[in-house]
Amino acid sequence: MKVLVIGLGGVTNGGKTTLAEKLKKMLPNCDIISQDDFFKPESEVETDERGFKLYDVLDALYMDEMVKTIHNWMKNPASSGVVTEGLQNTCDNLKNTDVHVLIVEGFLLYNYDTRVYQPADTPGYFDGHVWPMYLKYRSELEENASSVVYLDGTKSQEELLSYVYSDIKEELKKLKEANQKVTE
């Protein structure tokens, strides 16, 4: 069985979850793992000198558990415990594929070695903490990653969905063709 893991990273409240959910409805054998599901309890999240809870740092997350969940899914997608839903508008040429797709989405997805986001918005929190942390971790990502595709946040959700979906379809097509060559 082949698997395709897709990472959607970016700033908090940037549309990652929305994009992931729309893609899931369009892709066969698709599951989502959200980094938001791995936040530590509020009591374990540090507070900075301005009183902001520091959610936008790796220490606010149980990243080891997230990685373990991803690895378990990769070993056996069908019995991973990740909840799946039926397909809605799947492209016909992808329906009968034996490739399982995992979308992993999160704001610090690419900054760990190896959320519907609804906190109380304290005035100044986004500008004072969220955005600076995003810029810091994006800079680290750019130094260490080899093939990251950036999406233009000024584009409509539909344009972004279409762009990402096209890329995924191409990857699935390549995997399907490679699988067919192996079985011939």
Side-chain angles (χ1 to χ4, degrees):
M1 172 183 345
K2 294 195 181 272
V3 298
L4 175 63
V5 178
I6 300 159
L8 296 177
V11 69
T12 297
N13 271 343
K16 299 173 300 297
T17 301
T18 300
L19 179 58
E21 289 172 354
K22 287 181 179 183
L23 287 167
K24 180 177 179 172
K25 291 177 181 176
M26 300 168 73
L27 296 168
N29 306 323
C30 184
D31 298 312
I32 297 173
I33 293 177
S34 175
Q35 195 172 41
D36 286 351
D37 295 334
F38 296 89
F39 272 111
K40 293 179 180 177
E42 185 177 348
S43 63
E44 294 181 36
V45 177
E46 291 186 38
T47 304
D48 73 4
E49 66 279 352
R50 296 166 293 181
F52 294 143
K53 282 288 188 180
L54 301 179
Y55 286 105
D56 285 75
V57 297
L58 286 170
D59 287 343
L61 298 153
Y62 292 119
M63 289 300 296
D64 290 341
E65 288 181 33
M66 182 177 174
V67 170
K68 182 179 176 184
T69 301
I70 293 167
H71 284 213
N72 286 341
W73 182 94
M74 292 172 69
K75 290 177 191 170
N76 192 353
S79 66
S80 66
V82 174
V83 178
T84 61
E85 297 171 6
L87 300 174
Q88 289 183 358
N89 300 317
T90 304
C91 181
D92 284 339
N93 66 347
L94 297 180
K95 284 183 181 176
N96 296 322
T97 181
D98 64 345
V99 177
H100 290 261
V101 178
L102 177 63
I103 299 172
V104 182
E105 64 92 5
F107 63 101
L108 291 177
L109 199 56
Y110 299 105
N111 298 91
Y112 183 72
D113 292 335
T114 15
R115 40 187 235 189
V116 176
Y117 178 73
Q118 297 177 343
D121 283 336
T122 307
Y125 182 70
F126 187 86
D127 292 334
H129 176 68
V130 173
W131 190 250
M133 289 296 98
Y134 167 72
L135 293 176
K136 174 185 181 233
Y137 288 116
R138 179 179 168 167
S139 175
E140 287 179 12
L141 168 64
E142 289 170 344
E143 290 175 16
N144 299 317
S146 59
S147 62
V148 174
V149 177
Y150 291 98
L151 300 178
D152 181 349
T154 64
K155 302 278 186 199
S156 71
Q157 286 186 2
E158 293 78 21
E159 288 175 290
L160 294 173
L161 176 63
S162 177
Y163 178 79
V164 174
Y165 183 60
S166 293
D167 277 1
I168 293 169
K169 281 189 343 186
E170 284 302 311
E171 288 301 315
L172 288 172
K173 182 180 172 185
K174 289 177 192 174
L175 286 170
K176 189 175 185 179
E177 288 170 356
N179 193 39
Q180 287 173 343
K181 286 180 183 177
V182 169
T183 59
E184 291 177 348

